[in-house]
Amino acid sequence: METNPCNNHVNGGSSIPSRVSRKTNSDNTIVNINGVKVGGSDIVIIAGPCAVESREQLFETARAVRMSGARILRGGAFKPRSSPYNFQGLGEEGLKLLSQIRKETGLPVVTEVMDTRQVELVSGYADMIQIGSRNMQNYPLLKEAGMGRKPVLLKRGMMATVEEFLLAAEYILNQGNEQVILCERGIRTFETSTRNTLDLSAVPMLKRLSHLPVIVDPSHGTGLRWMVPAMSKAAVAVGADGLIMEVHFKPEEALCDGYQSLNLDEFAQLMSDLKKIARAIGRKITLPEPSPV
Ligand code: PEP
Ligand code: MN
């Protein structure tokens, strides 16, 4: 007898079929991002700058994170900034840079889409589209992403419960797109010493309730560069299928979120530690294919 209230609401207790639920599909869903599979025994690391700033910045960062073992490149072209006066991203120019760097490094790319009107454009360049924390309950956007065929990285709303998070994912699956990755990125609590409170208990909870892969964002989850390695290791240990983290070739010059971005050496060191943790729990971090550059 299931006693978890989430389960009762999301799937049990109701006759409405719930596509995200483990009860509907007991096998883990594997999300395939242009050949990189998330949700299997591999732990997949997604790394890159908060925002695409320039060709040099993206290329230098991508090449280095790839050498350290990242399998997917991140970088925002449309940025949801808290202040309208902050750098808003390069827009389509940023998307073009992402697809060029994908060609040069072989790394699939993930980038955020903020508006229903951008879904087609962003899907034309990206290998996976990201729906950010601020848009987790933008239902028209979720539906639009669900109507496409690109994998979707759905970030937990900063004020969303696990149940609301799963219901948001349900909107995407309900439109026919089952390639969804859930991302825990920290929630708002009374605590102010970190940017958000990284809810690592959501990882085993989501894995128990749903068949979808779960990854963790320790960068936005803490807002503190020095804490990112510790929380990354903890996330892998509690069963995350991957991590998405901010890495910049010159964090002190970053136009966005430099204070929570690892530099290239810190990332390389963390990757070597993560490989050991993955091995200890019977999983692995596979290096990318030999680089085309
Ligand atoms: C991001 O990953 O670029 C981002 C803006 O994160 P979040 O939506 O979790 O704040
Ligand atoms: Mn950021």
Side-chain angles (χ1 to χ4, degrees):
M1 181 70 182
E2 185 56 69
T3 52
N4 189 309
C6 276
N7 247 8
N8 289 338
H9 197 96
V10 175
N11 191 32
S14 150
S15 58
I16 303 164
S18 175
R19 297 172 201 275
V20 299
S21 173
R22 259 217 196 271
K23 287 186 181 165
T24 309
N25 178 4
S26 60
D27 293 336
N28 288 333
T29 287
I30 309 280
V31 173
N32 187 334
I33 303 111
N34 213 348
V36 176
K37 297 189 175 109
V38 180
S41 62
D42 266 44
I43 289 168
V44 173
I45 309 300
I46 305 173
C50 178
V52 177
E53 298 168 8
S54 69
R55 197 191 136 70
E56 187 203 10
Q57 172 242 22
L58 194 61
F59 180 72
E60 293 301 330
T61 307
R63 202 170 48 165
V65 296
R66 184 183 198 291
M67 273 173 51
S68 299
R71 302 291 303 280
I72 299 175
L73 177 66
R74 64 150 289 146
F78 296 100
K79 292 303 304 174
R81 301 305 300 279
S82 300
S83 164
Y85 305 114
N86 285 340
F87 177 58
Q88 302 285 306
L90 296 179
E92 189 169 3
E93 194 194 327
L95 298 177
K96 287 183 179 158
L97 285 173
L98 282 165
S99 84
Q100 275 174 25
I101 302 300
R102 175 206 13 236
K103 213 184 275 171
E104 292 171 30
T105 61
L107 289 177
V109 297
V110 56
T111 196
E112 180 161 355
V113 57
M114 295 203 297
D115 190 298
T116 50
R117 292 164 296 183
Q118 294 166 346
V119 173
E120 211 180 312
L121 176 78
V122 175
S123 300
Y125 290 101
D127 299 293
M128 172 158 65
I129 59 174
Q130 176 173 327
I131 295 184
S133 190
R134 292 156 188 80
N135 269 316
M136 190 209 80
Q137 285 176 313
N138 181 338
Y139 300 117
L141 183 58
L142 297 171
K143 286 186 188 170
E144 194 71 27
M147 285 187 273
R149 285 296 161 268
K150 284 281 155 138
V152 180
L153 174 53
L154 178 64
K155 300 191 82 174
R156 181 178 182 181
M158 60 185 85
M159 284 162 290
T161 62
V162 162
E163 181 186 328
E164 288 161 343
F165 189 17
L166 288 172
L167 286 166
E170 186 78 10
Y171 268 88
I172 304 172
L173 269 68
N174 210 20
Q175 297 297 319
N177 188 352
E178 297 186 348
Q179 292 281 287
V180 176
I181 297 176
L182 303 170
C183 178
E184 162 59 37
R185 49 78 70 206
I187 50 175
R188 281 266 166 95
T189 67
F190 54 84
E191 181 56 69
T192 54
S193 68
T194 47
R195 180 176 177 177
N196 291 288
T197 298
L198 186 61
D199 180 12
L200 286 182
S201 70
V203 176
M205 182 63 84
L206 289 166
K207 298 286 301 177
R208 182 180 170 87
L209 297 177
S210 175
H211 51 84
L212 296 173
V214 178
I215 69 168
V216 169
D217 176 347
S219 309
H220 295 90
T222 64
L224 299 166
R225 175 188 306 137
W226 63 265
M227 201 185 275
V228 167
M231 298 314 277
S232 299
K233 289 180 254 184
V236 169
V238 295
D241 296 300
L243 300 169
I244 179 167
M245 65 180 95
E246 292 183 335
V247 181
H248 197 285
F249 79 142
K250 293 175 185 165
E252 58 295 339
E253 290 174 23
L255 296 180
C256 185
D257 287 354
Y259 52 85
Q260 64 187 34
S261 303
L262 297 182
N263 67 31
L264 304 181
D265 290 342
E266 288 165 336
F267 181 70
Q269 177 59 52
L270 174 56
M271 287 300 289
S272 115
D273 294 346
L274 290 175
K275 282 176 199 153
K276 292 178 209 148
I277 294 184
R279 208 175 311 127
I281 58 166
R283 300 186 76 173
K284 61 186 190 314
I285 294 180
T286 306
L287 291 175
E289 300 288 311
S291 172
V293 287

